[in-house]
Amino acid sequence: MNKHATLYLYELAWMLPSVALPVGMLAALAVTAFGAHIGLPGEAGRVDPAAVLQTAPFNQPGVVEVSPGRYEAHLVAGIWFFSPPEMRVPEGSEVTFIATSKDIIHGFLLRAANINAMLLPGQVTRVTARFDRAGTYPFLCHEYCGIAHHTMWGKVIVEPRS
Ligand code: CUA
């Protein structure tokens, strides 16, 4: 084989994977987004970060039933707490968490419901999950936010239907 043909093969050996990799990643993205419905938490509006606790719905943190079996959980994060720290919904509920931070960047990780979101001051985060099985599901802050970051957690209690 002459030298030019060898060089050409080497170049091809690099070029094909460098095309195949991004194409494969895009395909994986499409499958997870449209096939498995794995999506980013939606950014659902803005709020004055200095007045979070005076602004609806964050002035009344807690769970409200919006229709049968569907709930909204209004959640505020701050150093170093979640308000409310504990939420109760019945088994089989669909819960939309509407959350924000009143000071710095916090996280909202609720592993049992596959929720992994950031809570940014001034920005509202909205994410929906279903709770089909009774149990206690802890959530925690997973963005380092200072000296007591590790104490920042709460729980969703899913109560059995009687
Ligand atoms: Cu809030 Cu870490």
Side-chain angles (χ1 to χ4, degrees), residues 33-116:
F34 301 111
H37 299 290
I38 294 173
L40 294 175
E43 193 252 294
R46 296 184 158 272
V47 60
D48 178 1
V52 168
L53 298 179
Q54 289 82 49
T55 308
F58 304 110
N59 55 350
Q60 286 184 315
V63 178
V64 290
E65 186 170 17
V66 288
S67 64
R70 291 188 55 243
Y71 294 82
E72 273 185 9
H74 306 135
L75 185 66
V76 177
I79 46 175
W80 289 278
F81 66 89
F82 282 106
S83 174
E86 186 181 303
M87 293 176 268
R88 285 172 185 272
V89 292
E91 195 176 31
S93 301
E94 184 180 285
V95 182
T96 297
F97 295 91
I98 300 171
T100 193
S101 162
K102 66 174 276 296
D103 38 46
I104 58 174
I105 295 175
H106 297 282
F108 179 50
L109 179 73
L110 204 169
R111 195 159 271 159
N114 203 20
I115 294 174
N116 179 338

Side-chain angles (χ1 to χ4, degrees), residues 77-82 103-107 140-146 148-152:
I79 46 175
W80 289 278
F81 66 89
F82 282 106
D103 38 46
I104 58 174
I105 295 175
H106 297 282
L140 52 87
C141 173
H142 64 313
E143 292 286 339
Y144 183 70
C145 57
H149 158 72
H150 61 286
T151 66
M152 216 180 137

Side-chain angles (χ1 to χ4, degrees), residues 121-156:
Q123 204 149 295
V124 179
T125 295
R126 175 186 279 263
V127 58
T128 300
R130 275 193 70 83
F131 293 91
D132 283 327
R133 285 177 38 200
T136 298
Y137 302 106
F139 57 86
L140 52 87
C141 173
H142 64 313
E143 292 286 339
Y144 183 70
C145 57
I147 192 81
H149 158 72
H150 61 286
T151 66
M152 216 180 137
W153 66 285
K155 57 191 169 185
V156 175

